[in-house]
Each structure stands twice: as structure tokens, then as C-alpha cells.
């Protein structure tokens, strides 16, 4: 059996075999226009402390639910200034 342009689920459906694989997960939306203004104009250099900060927010699934982690970094000192 050669699978060209199809997958296991399609072959099983053709053969009348029930498929119990994992359902496809939602992949999110397509990227669109930014929802905010680019205040640093993609220039990630700083001439003094506390002039330009960047932040990152991530979501992690745990046994107890979602966990959100955030870090704020000062680009001049290259240190994490908040979390």
C-alpha cells in the first residue's frame, strides 16, 4: 500500500475501518495585522537603562490548569527586571 496525497485516516475510511486516532488540535488563527503600534520600530537597542523594555508571555498547561509566565527584560543591561 502506497500513501500518496492521503493519510492513514483516508485509507482506513476507504477500507471501512474505524479510525480511533487523536483528533487534530486547533492550530490558532492565521497571522494578521499587529494589534498594537510598533513603538520601537524594530530597533532593539537602548542607550541608557530603563529606556527600552521587552516582555514575553507564555502559556503552559499543567495538571491543575493553565499557568502563565511573563518576563520583562531591560535591553540596555540585558537583565530580567520583572517576572
Amino acid at each position: 500500500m502506497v500513501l500518496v496525497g492521503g493519510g492513514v485516516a483516508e485509507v482506513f475510511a476507504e477500507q471501512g475501518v474505524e479510525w480511533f486516532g487523536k483528533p487534530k488540535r486547533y492550530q490558532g488563527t492565521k497571522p494578521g495585522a499587529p494589534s498594537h503600534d510598533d513603538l520601537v520600530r524594530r530597533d532593539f537597542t537602548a542607550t541608557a537603562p530603563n529606556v527600552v523594555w521587552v516582555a514575553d508571555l507564555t502559556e503552559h498547561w499543567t495538571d491543575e490548569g493553565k499557568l502563565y509566565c511573563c518576563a520583562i527584560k531591560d535591553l540596555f543591561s540585558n537583565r530580567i527586571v520583572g517576572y
Side-chain angles (χ1 to χ4, degrees), residues 65-80:
K66 292 181 185 178
L67 171 69
Y68 295 95
C69 297
C70 178
I72 303 166
K73 183 178 183 178
D74 178 24
L75 290 182
F76 182 78
S77 64
N78 207 24
R79 291 185 171 185
I80 302 295

Side-chain angles (χ1 to χ4, degrees), residues 6-14 17 19:
V8 174
E10 288 81 10
V11 173
F12 279 10
E14 290 174 3
V17 177
W19 174 251

Side-chain angles (χ1 to χ4, degrees), residues 31-63:
S35 60
H36 52 79
D37 295 332
D38 186 4
L39 299 177
V40 295
R41 293 177 182 80
R42 298 289 173 209
D43 180 20
F44 295 107
T45 57
T47 56
N50 298 325
V51 174
V52 180
W53 286 359
V54 294
D56 182 43
L57 178 67
T58 57
E59 175 183 300
H60 303 275
W61 282 96
T62 67
D63 291 337

